[in-house]
Amino acid sequence: MDDRTGSRYGRRLTAIALTAGGVLYGVANAFYWVMFPDDVSETAGNVAMAAGNLGAWRAETILFALAHLLLLPAMAGLAAALGRRKPLVAAIGGTVTLLGLYFSTVHLWHYNAFFGALAGANVDADAARPVVNALDNDPFVMASFAVWLLGWLIGLLVLAFGAWRAGLVSLWVPLVLTGGQVLDFVTEGAPLKIAVSVLMVAGLFGLARGVDRRRPADSPGEAKAAVAAHP
């Protein structure tokens, strides 16, 4: 297998991971807000929410975890695809996004799963509140939470706009992802969160199509050289 063939397969795998991860992310987000439409006023309220439908709580935790696990290699592949044209953007966006997705996966298993375990053991929110408040005030927990939110928000947009500047995607792709990320950050409630899911799936699919193009975006000099070599 030569480098060109390996690059083609790498782009194809990245596109598949972007598409599958995007769909799973959209499904998980919509599923959560349809099943749990009422936002909690305090973190300990998640125990009662999980107890209300433990099966759905565990299902959405698994869906989000799978989505993020697929998006980890997808974002790494996207950064690699940008590396030749936009190395600085690829390095910054890739690093920030991968850190965000890593901590999001840790958060899901050590936080969401924690509430599911308490609900499964019939522990009520009042009994869990001292422990949950301690977690909320722990600097390491809060730092990981911030890295997750800001890494996924900022890193994805850096990569998406970098893909546009590199000629991989049209401008609508980063704009749609920006709308989805911002809307997710500032809104609550099932209707708007379902709109977030639609925007994120569309944007990630747009990235997948750009990465999986038949030919990678060559620089102008490389394009001219290719034309000269093959009249």
Side-chain angles (χ1 to χ4, degrees):
M1 181 186 296
D2 60 21
D3 290 343
R4 188 176 296 276
T5 302
S7 176
R8 184 171 68 251
Y9 281 120
R11 294 197 309 273
R12 176 58 57 84
L13 290 174
T14 297
I16 292 171
L18 277 167
T19 302
V23 170
L24 272 176
Y25 185 87
V27 169
N29 188 66
F31 178 81
Y32 174 82
W33 285 99
V34 168
M35 299 305 299
F36 306 101
D38 300 320
D39 195 22
V40 296
S41 59
E42 59 170 346
T43 308
N46 283 300
V47 179
M49 184 178 289
N53 194 335
L54 186 56
W57 182 271
R58 287 176 170 162
E60 62 88 12
T61 300
I62 292 170
L63 284 171
F64 269 121
L66 289 175
H68 291 166
L69 288 173
L70 278 170
L71 289 171
L72 275 166
M75 292 299 117
L78 176 58
L82 291 176
R84 188 170 63 172
R85 293 289 305 273
K86 301 290 181 181
L88 183 60
V89 170
I92 294 174
T95 299
V96 173
T97 307
L98 292 176
L99 281 172
L101 287 169
Y102 169 78
F103 279 104
S104 72
T105 306
V106 171
H107 172 82
L108 282 164
W109 286 116
H110 291 278
Y111 212 67
N112 277 37
F114 168 71
F115 294 123
L118 292 177
N122 296 317
V123 177
D124 61 29
D126 290 335
R129 186 169 290 108
V131 176
V132 173
N133 288 343
L135 287 171
D136 281 347
N137 293 321
D138 183 84
F140 288 101
V141 174
M142 295 306 295
S144 68
F145 193 74
V147 171
W148 164 30
L149 291 179
L150 294 177
W152 177 234
L153 172 66
I154 297 172
L156 176 61
L157 298 185
V158 169
L159 289 176
F161 279 99
W164 167 59
R165 293 293 296 168
L168 288 177
V169 300
S170 300
L171 181 58
W172 71 264
V173 173
L175 291 181
V176 163
L177 288 171
T178 300
Q181 291 283 56
V182 173
L183 193 64
D184 193 23
F185 197 71
V186 302
T187 62
E188 297 175 0
L192 289 174
K193 294 297 186 179
I194 291 174
V196 169
S197 293
V198 173
L199 290 172
M200 295 300 293
V201 171
L204 290 168
F205 180 69
L207 284 177
R209 288 192 63 191
V211 170
D212 194 32
R213 294 195 312 177
R214 183 179 297 275
R215 287 178 57 82
D218 293 325
S219 66
E222 290 173 328
K224 291 178 181 178
V227 171
H230 301 283

